[in-house]
Amino acid sequence: MAERELENIVGRNNVLNGPGVLEEYSRDFSFVPPIKPRCIVKPANVDEVQKIVQWANDTLTPIVPVSSGSPHFRGDTVPAVDGSVIVDLSGMKKIIRVDPRNKVAMVEPGVTFNELQSELAKEGLSAYMPLAPRSSKSVIGSMLEREPITIPSHHWDSTDPLLCAEVVFGTGDKFRTGEASGPDTVEEQWEMDRVQLNPFGHSHIDFQRLIAGAQGTIGIVTWATLKCSYLSKLNRALLVPSQNIEPLIELTYQLVKFRLGGSLFILNKLNLACLLGRSPREIQELRDTLPPWILFTSFEGYGVLPEEKVAYEEGDFRDMARLCRLKPETAIPGASAEDVLRLLSRPSPEPYWKTRFKGGCHDIFFLTTLDKTPDFIIAMSDLAKLHEYPVEDTGVYIQPIVQGTSCHCEFNLYYDPNNPAEVDAARQIVSAGSEEIAKMGGFFSRPYGAWKDTAYRHAAGTLTMQKKIKKIFDPNEILNPGKLCF
Amino acid sequence: MKLAKEEYQALEDIVGPEYITQEPVIMDTYNQVWGNKFFFDEKHSVRPAAVLLPANTGEISAVVKVCNKYGILFKAFSSGFEYLSLSLVNEKGILFDLRRMNRVIEIDAKNMRAVVEPYISVYRLQFEAARYGLYSGRIGVGYSAGVVATECCHHGCQHSMVFTSGYGRNILGVEWVLPTGEVLNMGTGDGGGDLFSADGPGFSLRGILRGRTGANGGHGVITKVSVKLYPWYGPPEWEQTKQPGEPPSFGQLDKVPDGYKVFVPTFNNLDDTLDASEELCRAEILCGFGIAITGTAPFSEGNDEEWAMMQKALNAGPRDVGSIPNSVVAVIGYQSLGELEYREKCVKAITEKWCGRFLPGFNEPRALARAFADMMWSNGVNLRATGDFLPSSSSPDGSPAMLKKLALQEAEIKDRYEQSGAFLTFGSGLRMVSWRPEEHLSTGAQGISTAQYDPWNPASLEAARDFINEIFDPRGEFNRYGIPSRGGCLQIEPVTHIHQNWGPLYDNYDKWLMKIKKMLDPNTVGDWTAYIPPEYPDYAKEGNYVLPSYGKEEKR
Amino acid sequence: MAWQDYVHDMQRCTRCSYCKWIPYRYMRNIDFMEGCPSIARYNWHAYAASGKFNMAYSLLQGRIEIDDTFLDVLYKCCMDGSCDVSCKVQQDIEPLQLMQELRIKCVEDGQLVPAHMVVIEGLRKEDNMMQSPKDERAKWAEGLDVKDLTSESAEVVYHAGCRYSFDEELWPVARAGLTLLRDAGVDIGIMGVEEACCGGRAYELGYAGELTKYAEHQIETFRTAGVKTLVTPCSDCYAAFKVLYDKIGKKLGIEVFHITQYIDKLIKEGKIKFTKEVPLTVTYHDPCHLGRLGEPWVHWQGKEYKVMGQMIVHDPPKKYRRGANGVYETPRDILKSIPGLKLVEMYRIKEYAWCCGAGGGVIDAYPDFAVWTGAERLREANAVGAEAIVSACPWCKRNFLDAARETGDKIEVYDIIELVQKAV
């Protein structure tokens, strides 16, 4: 029996198949149809992962790697086919190494941001984080999903902050990417000051890029190194309110061009309210008080002259804002910059901020350029009206990425999961919205359930090539079938 | 060899008779490049059967399909300045000279990207981008080198990497003619959109486009690239001038342009230099940085003048000579006076912390202007001294501490050859350690070491090969620093067998790479001399070690 | 040095392609970065100087022969030397000299360009490069009250050159030049029908014997005439007398001036005074033979040796001609001193100027290429806002006039002499 064979690999206690647990892994907050896995297996190390993958090949069993804890939102960790086995790596929680000199950390898949931040802080470092991730979010999971970080000036490449990784490909082969590769163990490498820092691929190929964004369809990562930033000795933050988004976009362009400042993003009032508010009522009140659009930026003080850094950055920012006829504030009615700043260095406090307003939330996000975001906002607003969904219940989050050459544009559709009409409206908007966004040039670089097909319909060449690559790294297609274009 | 009439006609029908040739006189101008002697024992590498000057992607795609039909190898290049770009496995091969594809298609100033065709040089893009207040980074390989070549096909290491990254990290979009002749657009390009992302949907095909180096023409033809641009703090135009009667090499700026400032501190010893360097790079204030390669001296007119200058410097005393290895060039850009003040203060504070000083000779305005130009703009590549050089023999990337170890280890070996007179040596006994920081050191730095030898001096050539054989021997003392050359400069697989020898030590990456090659190129028409073959030919071995195969041996 | 003796250079050409461009330091406009007309027009690498090194090396090794393609590549070149200047910013090799020697070899081997054969035949018969009767050589000066040096003596000989002598449209310029000097009090004469070709252009075509022959002839002619100074309004002739004769070891024995140098001298001496305004925006085109090719010859005999292990140096040190010592400032000084005249510079000037297109035998054998090259230069002149392009050589003026007519370009074409004449 499968479970017996798996128990031989990971130990009895690490194979779960109770009804409750199976139910938990069969669904998430996305609209993908629920499918129960066969069982859940919890490996403790790469050797076990390798054996599981080899077993999966031998038995042609689909496996679904998961590293974050619930709740999940995107459908990528829900089995797409029957008979799947969930490979839950969330128990692999070692923070293997923190290197303060080279600002790099090495972690296992189960490490969350909370856990990591505490360790990094001891060494004067901080993780590059997405915006208020849920507390159960895996650091590696976040990086592999290419979730945008909030500091665009440090986001050189779409894979940042991911550096190197140890991965088991779908063939069962173990592999270390980038500088981590070699005839020696990582411990031996450390003795030579090789710290798994440089991500550039072996010669003509960048394996790291094949696993990032792959939703576990190419390989299972068992540890990764990541860039870290300095922990600021001091910092300042400002909010810039605006009735319209256009001036904030203009200001953002100035900032990203010169890589000025630390965290930088734009939220609409609902999203800021959700981040700050603790209850539906609080959120509603905040929403009613806050200006329609808010830009947030921080100035991080570290290095040899931290105070001077913060001072000049803030000064220059204020000058830029003035030119855009905007007025930065440390506090606006309903929110203070410090409150937001405090949220950025840790995951979202419970309950997860996207669930506080109505209990349910479906994101739709894509890449575009900053100048196009107002068009998408109008489009989504029109769609909401069309589907009789309250426009004011749509959150907007704009995150410049890759040093401002594009941005992550996210719409959050809040709904009451117990209200079928709301659920239905949200589902329809996601579906219709995906089509509209794609038609308008929005790029679904991270194709999740709801818009996966739309994404690939506009990427025929990529689809064909990815299938060929998949045949190389996972010829039996045992890794997360049904995801991406597989 | 000549192509069969039918084959040649099929190609001519696509590009037109004016844009294809198989005249031997012209063919032999496409197989002579520096470095050939090192690999092939002579200046001539394999003579192509024909050279084509295609006008556009459509023509290239059609030609590649013909190549598949008739089993003709192909390779494309823009400037063709490296031997990798013109080397062919055998004579039944054609070259695409991409001279005619020379448009800057778009510069989107707001979204900081440029879309260019293959013949656009990095220098030209720097020039054009400056008008928009943008900058494309300074590559290491001279001003003819193409943007497509450096970003997608070859190394792409940049002297300004501390700020502008490199090694393919700036690719936002690509149009790629695959070895089958199909055209693949990556990312947003696949849907016909603006080229702002090459990643996805899903995992990024940039992973098979290139790694630390590109495929050097081995997996098709890149016909368009969208690259990230960086802020340019200087003027939209500039003029380098010289005095009447001065040689052309003396042209320079009078001063560092407004918007930039340059500092050249000198430290007391190697450790302080490297520690200060780390701190300067991690301060996130630099636009350009170099260790031990200051560029402050005028570019000498010729070797004789260079020698005269060196003798003067050597006679001035060891102190002056010792300054160069312990000097760094730090370029800061600023968009406000506040930024200038902060960044300048940082430089001075760090310099002071590590007991550095600003020697007048390196820090007078014209010297700084020279250092600026050398750091920020594509420059001439100086092969004049000896006629050739071995670029970055091992050149891994990693932490500065690791690179220091490697550099000193490699220098000991190089020293042997220098002492024997086989390589250029400055004779001062000083060990130069230099690395190029990447992304404010957040991904580490690139190790640099070069040896200058004379390929036409048999003893020097032999020494160069012995040196490389030693560094590249996977059984030797360098086998834990990373794959040598990383598929870059000294990667001629039929000669140096890097993939074959190092693959087993490095997670069998070569096996994966071969599979990708086979997948992309089922008929093996993409020339693989500087990439990887779908199968390894039979080479002479010593146990498992594949012996270097210098000399020209055509593979069928 | 014979062509085979350049094997060191052939081996050391790295294929950097700088020969195709002007030196990067001086690039100022993306539309005007190229330096070599040949590769700009014909695209194959062979047409660049690097290609010639490659061809020579292959020829040396017996890998190729001199065939029609070889001749086409070798001779579709203005021998303007832009490649030489650019190459030598980074290298110690001699592209232009190698190309010159290849041409000499081709001629020696009887591998001839038909159009050039006609020109040389004319030279041998009529002592001029214009296929015109020798006895009509003095027609351009008819009516001018000036000494005939075949029967009178003077300090200075005015050598018009073949182009000025037989290109009737250009006669006013030649006449103006002579008149200016005469009226400034210069004791000047002409050789009239006895003026012969300098041999420079023939040499560039590969006919080395012609250069020697005419050099010897000129030496004897001027010795007999007893002149002390030669002034010529033709840059080609200037380079022949000043540089090429010295190169082949023939000493002319008299001082050689281009007319711009002499006019400059007269202006400084107060013998030419500008009294009229010339309200015109002009750009100055540096003739190759006055500029980079007009740089004095450097004789060197020595050996190559190594220092610091492997660095290649020479004993005695070898001074390469890198174009810096041509005549660039003098014509500009003249233009700047003309009242009302505004001088704007093109993007490719001085050592790295784009050729007019007439040199190297191109105007004779490949007139379409000559016109194309000239038109490119006019485009550049227009791009900097010039109303007129002015140069200091009849070949330049001729080719610019032809290019303007061919393309319909309205830009005015002057020789510097004409502007000086307008201002006095």
Side-chain angles (χ1 to χ4, degrees):
Chain A
M1 269 192 72
E3 285 75 3
R4 189 72 48 82
E5 285 160 355
L6 290 169
E7 282 172 7
N8 288 340
I9 297 169
V10 298
R12 208 154 174 213
N13 291 339
N14 293 311
V15 179
L16 312 172
N17 58 2
V21 126
L22 293 181
E23 181 63 32
E24 191 190 321
Y25 283 86
S26 70
R27 63 179 73 243
D28 69 6
F29 275 83
S30 73
F31 295 134
V32 305
I35 292 183
K36 270 206 193 108
R38 183 175 179 169
C39 65
I40 291 88
V41 61
K42 296 188 142 201
N45 53 56
V46 65
D47 292 330
E48 291 182 4
V49 170
Q50 201 172 13
K51 287 182 180 137
I52 292 167
V53 173
Q54 278 156 1
W55 169 85
N57 272 285
D58 292 341
T59 58
L60 297 180
T61 305
I63 55 179
V64 179
V66 174
S67 43
S68 303
S70 60
H72 300 274
F73 287 83
R74 309 233 168 92
D76 54 322
T77 54
V78 173
V81 301
D82 287 324
S84 302
V85 169
I86 303 280
V87 180
D88 186 343
L89 304 142
S90 61
M92 290 173 69
K93 283 195 162 294
K94 279 202 221 93
I95 296 172
I96 301 167
R97 185 171 185 268
V98 175
D99 180 340
R101 180 178 174 186
N102 292 296
K103 295 161 68 197
V104 60
M106 180 187 269
V107 301
E108 285 189 337
V111 173
T112 63
F113 283 103
N114 255 333
E115 291 158 352
L116 180 59
Q117 286 291 56
S118 306
E119 276 310 298
L120 291 179
K122 295 176 193 168
E123 303 284 2
L125 297 175
S126 177
Y128 289 108
M129 290 191 44
L131 177 64
R134 62 185 195 276
S135 55
S136 57
K137 185 75 192 185
S138 146
V139 173
I140 284 184
S142 175
M143 291 194 299
L144 289 177
E145 286 171 44
R146 293 201 306 251
E147 279 197 325
I149 59 175
T150 59
I151 305 181
S153 55
H154 289 197
H155 196 234
W156 301 83
D157 183 274
S158 61
T159 50
D160 277 349
L162 177 67
L163 296 172
C164 305
E166 180 181 71
V167 57
V168 177
F169 290 129
T171 50
D173 290 294
K174 201 168 59 175
F175 194 90
R176 280 183 272 160
T177 71
E179 202 199 343
S181 186
D184 38 14
T185 64
V186 294
E187 291 81 3
E188 286 166 342
Q189 291 178 355
W190 299 336
E191 284 164 21
M192 290 172 60
D193 289 305
R194 285 189 77 209
V195 296
Q196 301 83 39
L197 177 61
N198 191 273
F200 303 153
H202 297 65
S203 194
H204 317 289
I205 177 170
D206 236 338
F207 291 91
Q208 175 231 51
R209 294 193 190 280
L210 300 179
I211 54 174
Q215 295 178 27
T217 58
I218 297 293
I220 300 178
V221 171
T222 51
W223 58 250
T225 52
L226 52 139
K227 291 186 187 182
C228 303
S229 88
Y230 286 121
L231 185 65
S232 299
K233 293 185 177 124
L234 72 145
N235 48 20
R236 290 260 301 159
L238 289 171
L239 298 170
V240 185
S242 180
Q243 288 301 307
N244 303 301
I245 195 173
E246 283 83 354
L248 297 182
I249 299 291
E250 202 189 317
L251 176 58
T252 304
Y253 269 124
Q254 286 297 301
L255 297 165
V256 295
K257 178 174 180 182
F258 295 110
R259 280 76 168 144
L260 189 74
S263 286
L264 171 65
F265 50 83
I266 296 173
L267 298 171
N268 75 343
K269 57 183 177 177
L270 175 57
N271 267 356
L272 183 56
C274 289
L275 272 169
L276 297 174
R278 304 303 297 236
S279 68
R281 195 171 64 87
E282 226 179 273
I283 291 168
Q284 267 166 5
E285 280 171 9
L286 279 170
R287 183 179 62 180
D288 293 340
T289 313
L290 289 167
W293 297 99
I294 307 97
L295 178 148
F296 173 87
T297 190
S298 72
F299 314 106
E300 305 295 332
Y302 49 74
V304 66
L305 299 168
E307 289 92 356
E308 284 89 334
K309 182 176 188 290
V310 168
Y312 104 78
E313 285 187 357
E314 182 176 345
D316 282 1
F317 173 74
R318 286 182 182 277
D319 288 340
M320 288 175 182
R322 201 172 304 124
L323 286 170
C324 298
R325 288 192 253 278
L326 293 166
K327 198 161 176 299
E329 307 282 6
T330 51
I332 57 178
S336 83
E338 284 300 310
D339 287 342
V340 179
L341 185 62
R342 250 193 299 279
L343 289 174
L344 297 184
S345 60
R346 289 279 164 168
S348 163
E350 294 299 324
Y352 180 46
W353 68 278
K354 289 186 183 176
T355 61
R356 289 178 209 159
F357 182 39
K358 288 197 160 187
C361 175
H362 201 299
D363 303 337
I364 178 166
F365 51 80
F366 53 96
L367 301 185
T368 182
T369 49
L370 285 163
D371 50 348
K372 301 264 172 37
T373 50
D375 294 337
F376 287 108
I377 291 165
I378 293 170
M380 286 302 286
S381 171
D382 288 346
L383 266 175
K385 287 175 197 153
L386 189 67
H387 293 277
E388 295 174 358
Y389 176 93
V391 175
E392 61 273 17
D393 285 358
T394 310
V396 182
Y397 164 42
I398 294 168
Q399 178 63 64
I401 61 168
V402 193
Q403 294 180 318
T405 54
S406 58
C407 70
H408 164 97
C409 185
E410 180 175 312
F411 295 96
N412 312 101
L413 300 168
Y414 297 102
Y415 63 91
D416 176 357
N418 298 318
N419 184 329
E422 284 191 18
V423 172
D424 204 44
R427 195 200 303 268
Q428 285 187 33
I429 290 170
V430 169
S431 174
S434 313
E435 289 300 325
E436 188 59 27
I437 286 165
K439 242 193 283 181
M440 289 172 68
F443 180 52
F444 289 109
S445 72
R446 300 162 60 200
Y448 293 104
W451 56 80
K452 178 188 69 151
D453 292 340
T454 307
Y456 279 106
R457 224 178 296 124
H458 294 266
T462 303
L463 187 155
T464 306
M465 187 58 71
Q466 284 182 340
K467 284 186 162 160
K468 291 180 181 175
I469 294 170
K470 172 80 163 170
K471 276 205 164 59
I472 292 172
F473 290 94
D474 182 23
N476 292 323
E477 299 192 25
I478 48 110
L479 287 178
N480 219 355
K483 303 298 186 308
L484 296 189
C485 54
F486 311 124
Chain B
M1 67 169 282
K2 278 191 162 210
L3 294 174
K5 196 163 168 217
E6 185 188 321
E7 293 166 344
Y8 189 85
Q9 191 60 55
L11 298 175
E12 189 182 271
D13 287 344
I14 297 166
V15 297
E18 199 187 331
Y19 298 113
I20 180 171
T21 182
Q22 55 182 356
E23 294 291 333
V25 166
I26 297 183
M27 294 304 94
D28 259 16
T29 66
Y30 283 95
N31 61 352
Q32 298 184 54
V33 196
W34 70 275
N36 273 2
K37 184 95 167 88
F38 178 86
F39 291 100
F40 307 121
D41 270 341
E42 49 175 292
K43 194 159 187 226
H44 294 91
S45 58
V46 168
R47 178 189 281 179
V51 180
L52 285 73
L53 285 158
N56 52 52
T57 306
E59 285 187 2
I60 293 172
S61 168
V63 167
V64 169
K65 286 174 178 160
V66 167
C67 289
N68 274 275
K69 182 175 174 187
Y70 294 109
I72 303 170
L73 282 175
F74 73 88
K75 178 181 270 187
F77 68 91
S78 65
S79 70
F81 183 36
E82 287 223 8
Y83 40 88
L84 316 144
S85 52
L86 302 181
S87 57
L88 287 169
V89 175
N90 62 56
E91 274 192 336
K92 193 173 177 183
I94 62 167
L95 293 173
F96 287 115
D97 180 337
L98 297 175
R99 248 186 90 84
R100 295 171 69 210
M101 294 176 71
N102 62 353
R103 293 181 305 147
V104 172
I105 295 167
E106 174 196 31
I107 294 183
D108 183 333
K110 229 176 184 173
N111 296 301
M112 298 179 284
R113 67 170 184 266
V115 182
V116 301
E117 286 188 331
Y119 201 68
I120 294 297
S121 68
V122 174
Y123 190 73
R124 169 145 174 204
L125 182 56
Q126 285 178 338
F127 221 67
E128 293 215 37
R131 279 139 211 241
Y132 297 89
L134 294 168
Y135 177 65
S136 79
R138 190 283 209 215
I139 49 140
V141 73
Y143 65 86
S144 306
V147 175
V148 167
T150 54
E151 297 286 347
C152 305
C153 308
H154 190 50
H155 256 196
C157 90
Q158 300 196 6
H159 288 208
S160 50
M161 279 199 292
V162 67
F163 183 55
T164 61
S165 195
Y167 294 115
R169 298 268 283 180
N170 293 320
I171 295 173
L172 300 177
V174 161
E175 180 183 78
W176 179 2
V177 178
L178 299 168
T180 51
E182 295 156 275
V183 180
L184 173 67
N185 279 282
M186 281 191 196
T188 54
D190 208 356
D194 290 340
L195 300 183
F196 60 84
S197 173
D199 302 315
F203 59 86
S204 177
L205 298 181
R206 285 163 74 192
I208 58 165
L209 172 71
R210 61 165 294 148
R212 204 263 197 170
T213 194
N216 302 311
H219 66 24
V221 185
I222 309 303
T223 48
K224 199 192 290 180
V225 71
S226 173
V227 293
K228 189 191 336 170
L229 297 174
Y230 291 79
W232 170 250
Y233 298 91
E237 295 179 348
W238 56 84
E239 201 172 338
Q240 300 197 64
T241 57
K242 66 175 183 73
Q243 295 303 310
E246 283 183 335
S249 62
F250 277 33
Q252 65 159 96
L253 300 170
D254 283 332
K255 62 180 184 71
V256 174
D258 289 340
Y260 286 97
K261 205 151 179 188
V262 181
F263 303 87
V264 185
T266 304
F267 301 91
N268 293 322
N269 54 62
L270 182 63
D271 285 342
D272 285 354
T273 306
L274 296 178
D275 286 337
S277 295
E278 265 196 70
E279 205 166 331
L280 282 165
C281 293
R282 294 195 203 284
E284 298 169 16
I285 56 174
L286 300 174
C287 292
F289 186 76
I291 305 174
I293 305 164
T294 57
T296 45
F299 194 83
S300 56
E301 194 182 325
N303 276 3
D304 288 324
E305 290 81 358
E306 179 80 22
W307 175 227
M309 201 169 73
M310 280 180 176
Q311 286 182 293
K312 203 167 151 192
L314 286 166
N315 291 336
R319 187 167 160 269
D320 274 31
V321 171
S323 299
I324 294 174
N326 293 330
S327 299
V328 305
V329 174
V331 178
I332 61 174
Y334 56 93
Q335 44 80 25
S336 73
L337 292 175
E339 189 158 70
L340 168 62
E341 201 184 307
Y342 166 73
R343 289 180 172 179
E344 184 166 358
K345 254 180 153 173
C346 285
V347 171
K348 290 183 172 163
I350 294 168
T351 302
E352 196 182 306
K353 176 179 170 184
W354 296 100
C355 306
R357 60 221 185 277
F358 296 98
L359 298 179
F362 291 153
N363 288 280
E364 56 90 10
R366 285 176 66 81
L368 292 177
R370 288 189 289 267
F372 175 83
D374 189 60
M375 177 59 63
M376 298 300 281
W377 291 324
S378 299
N379 208 334
V381 174
N382 190 5
L383 297 177
R384 184 185 70 203
T386 65
D388 209 322
F389 84 126
L390 292 169
S392 295
S393 32
S394 50
S395 67
D397 303 89
S399 72
M402 181 272 279
L403 292 171
K404 179 186 169 188
K405 283 193 170 82
L406 170 64
L408 292 173
Q409 209 173 331
E410 202 177 294
E412 264 184 47
I413 296 177
K414 197 167 87 166
D415 199 44
R416 252 192 279 127
Y417 294 95
E418 288 182 357
Q419 294 307 318
S420 72
F423 292 167
L424 178 68
T425 174
F426 295 96
S428 57
L430 291 163
R431 293 278 165 82
M432 300 240 290
V433 175
S434 189
W435 40 255
R436 279 200 197 108
E438 296 155 0
E439 300 180 9
H440 298 317
L441 278 180
S442 64
T443 54
Q446 177 214 3
I448 312 165
S449 82
T450 64
Q452 288 175 279
Y453 75 105
D454 181 355
W456 302 99
N457 175 302
S460 188
L461 175 62
E462 194 182 330
R465 286 175 173 175
D466 288 344
F467 174 60
I468 291 303
N469 293 346
E470 204 170 333
I471 306 276
F472 281 22
D473 191 335
R475 306 166 297 182
E477 59 186 279
F478 292 95
N479 67 359
R480 291 173 57 206
Y481 282 110
I483 308 158
S485 183
R486 299 287 205 104
C489 297
L490 292 168
Q491 176 71 45
I492 297 283
E493 190 59 19
V495 176
T496 46
H497 313 298
I498 290 174
H499 296 318
Q500 198 169 0
N501 279 324
W502 289 72
L505 291 178
Y506 283 81
D507 293 78
N508 294 307
Y509 77 91
D510 62 320
K511 299 285 181 281
W512 298 106
L513 193 50
M514 277 170 151
K515 288 181 187 177
I516 287 170
K517 167 69 171 173
K518 264 197 208 134
M519 175 270 286
L520 288 171
D521 190 9
N523 294 324
T524 315
V525 287
D527 180 84
W528 56 265
T529 45
Y531 187 45
I532 196 163
E535 309 286 345
Y536 291 125
D538 227 349
Y539 295 115
K541 288 182 182 175
E542 204 173 79
N544 285 331
Y545 173 57
V546 185
L547 294 161
S549 317
Y550 296 105
K552 202 165 66 198
E553 193 189 307
E554 291 181 31
K555 303 282 177 281
R556 296 276 147 206
Chain C
M1 273 169 68
W3 71 281
Q4 311 95 305
D5 298 329
Y6 286 94
V7 62
H8 171 293
D9 293 13
M10 297 173 206
Q11 288 169 343
R12 283 177 166 77
C13 168
T14 60
R15 208 184 195 282
C16 68
S17 289
Y18 296 165
C19 47
K20 301 173 185 171
W21 312 92
I22 65 171
Y24 95 97
R25 286 156 208 278
Y26 306 108
M27 290 176 178
R28 285 188 299 124
N29 185 297
I30 51 168
D31 285 334
F32 303 106
M33 292 165 106
E34 293 188 283
C36 171
S38 305
I39 180 116
R41 178 81 172 85
Y42 297 107
N43 286 308
W44 302 111
H45 183 73
Y47 288 88
S50 169
K52 310 296 189 296
F53 275 129
N54 298 158
M55 283 160 56
Y57 197 54
S58 288
L59 189 66
L60 195 63
Q61 306 222 313
R63 290 172 60 100
I64 60 170
E65 289 173 351
I66 298 177
D67 57 11
D68 286 345
T69 306
F70 192 106
L71 291 176
D72 193 83
V73 172
L74 185 62
Y75 281 98
K76 273 179 177 161
C77 164
C78 301
M79 294 293 280
D80 55 278
S82 163
C83 55
D84 200 73
V85 166
S86 292
C87 173
K88 281 144 111 174
V89 174
Q90 312 280 155
Q91 287 276 41
D92 287 344
I93 57 180
E94 298 277 10
L96 188 64
Q97 297 310 314
L98 182 270
M99 294 196 286
Q100 176 65 66
E101 293 302 323
L102 280 177
R103 288 181 174 213
I104 290 172
K105 174 184 171 50
C106 285
V107 169
E108 279 172 3
D109 288 358
Q111 298 275 11
L112 308 174
V113 174
H116 292 166
M117 286 165 66
V118 171
V119 170
I120 297 299
E121 210 178 296
L123 175 68
R124 286 172 180 158
K125 278 204 192 122
E126 305 291 341
D127 289 334
N128 70 76
M129 294 288 284
M130 298 291 292
Q131 300 144 68
S132 298
K134 181 187 170 118
D135 56 12
E136 289 182 12
R137 185 142 190 151
K139 275 188 121 172
W140 67 273
E142 267 175 15
L144 276 182
D145 177 20
V146 70
K147 289 180 179 179
D148 178 350
L149 293 174
T150 59
S151 56
E152 299 168 86
S153 62
E155 287 279 315
V156 178
V157 55
Y158 185 82
H159 179 93
C162 300
R163 174 52 70 173
Y164 269 133
S165 295
F166 295 100
D167 189 333
E168 194 170 337
E169 192 180 358
L170 304 186
W171 285 354
V173 183
R175 293 168 69 90
L178 179 55
T179 309
L180 275 169
L181 267 48
R182 185 202 63 193
D183 292 350
V186 178
D187 180 21
I188 196 163
I190 60 173
M191 295 307 299
V193 295
E194 290 306 315
E195 182 184 286
C197 183
C198 62
R201 197 155 270 255
Y203 179 73
E204 273 184 6
L205 302 192
Y207 292 84
E210 264 46 47
L211 179 70
T212 306
K213 174 178 137 188
Y214 284 99
E216 287 168 355
H217 173 81
Q218 300 289 7
I219 289 166
E220 185 53 31
T221 303
F222 297 137
R223 191 191 64 76
T224 308
V227 295
K228 301 277 188 300
T229 303
L230 179 146
V231 177
T232 176
C234 173
S235 293
D236 263 46
C237 296
Y238 169 78
F241 291 129
K242 185 90 176 177
V243 181
L244 293 181
Y245 286 11
D246 185 12
K247 178 182 176 184
I248 62 169
K250 300 293 176 191
K251 299 230 180 291
L252 203 55
I254 59 176
E255 234 185 321
V256 173
F257 287 90
H258 183 267
I259 195 167
T260 51
Q261 295 173 304
Y262 213 82
I263 288 174
D264 185 61
K265 184 166 105 70
L266 294 171
I267 292 171
K268 288 185 166 91
E269 289 170 358
K271 293 177 182 169
I272 287 182
K273 286 192 171 71
F274 295 132
T275 58
K276 297 192 200 124
E277 292 230 335
V278 183
L280 192 63
T281 301
V282 307
T283 190
Y284 176 67
H285 166 83
D286 293 273
C288 302
H289 291 87
L290 183 60
R292 55 184 170 247
L293 300 181
E295 189 174 39
W297 188 255
V298 175
H299 291 278
W300 179 84
Q301 274 261 355
K303 62 176 179 22
E304 184 183 290
Y305 71 107
K306 298 270 181 84
V307 296
M308 295 195 298
Q310 290 294 329
M311 185 155 105
I312 302 162
V313 294
H314 303 90
D315 179 30
K318 187 175 182 182
K319 188 74 182 165
Y320 284 80
R321 295 166 71 237
R322 301 186 202 265
N325 295 310
V327 177
Y328 304 114
E329 303 306 323
T330 303
R332 286 173 168 82
D333 289 343
I334 294 172
L335 290 170
K336 283 177 200 167
S337 67
I338 294 177
L341 197 77
K342 183 176 171 202
L343 175 65
V344 294
E345 293 280 13
M346 286 185 281
Y347 300 110
R348 297 172 292 187
I349 59 173
K350 302 187 185 178
E351 296 96 323
Y352 51 94
W354 177 265
C355 180
C356 73
V362 168
I363 200 171
D364 304 296
Y366 311 105
D368 57 325
F369 177 35
V371 161
W372 180 88
T373 305
E376 275 297 296
R377 192 55 156 167
L378 297 184
R379 189 172 69 87
E380 189 176 355
N382 281 307
V384 298
E387 295 168 281
I389 185 167
V390 55
S391 87
C393 176
W395 296 92
C396 298
K397 176 153 175 155
R398 165 47 55 210
N399 207 48
F400 286 146
L401 284 172
D402 289 349
R405 280 170 196 148
E406 184 81 21
T407 58
D409 198 321
K410 297 282 180 280
I411 194 167
E412 296 170 58
V413 179
Y414 291 107
D415 188 280
I416 197 170
I417 293 166
E418 296 172 272
L419 296 181
V420 171
Q421 187 188 40
K422 281 180 191 290
V424 298

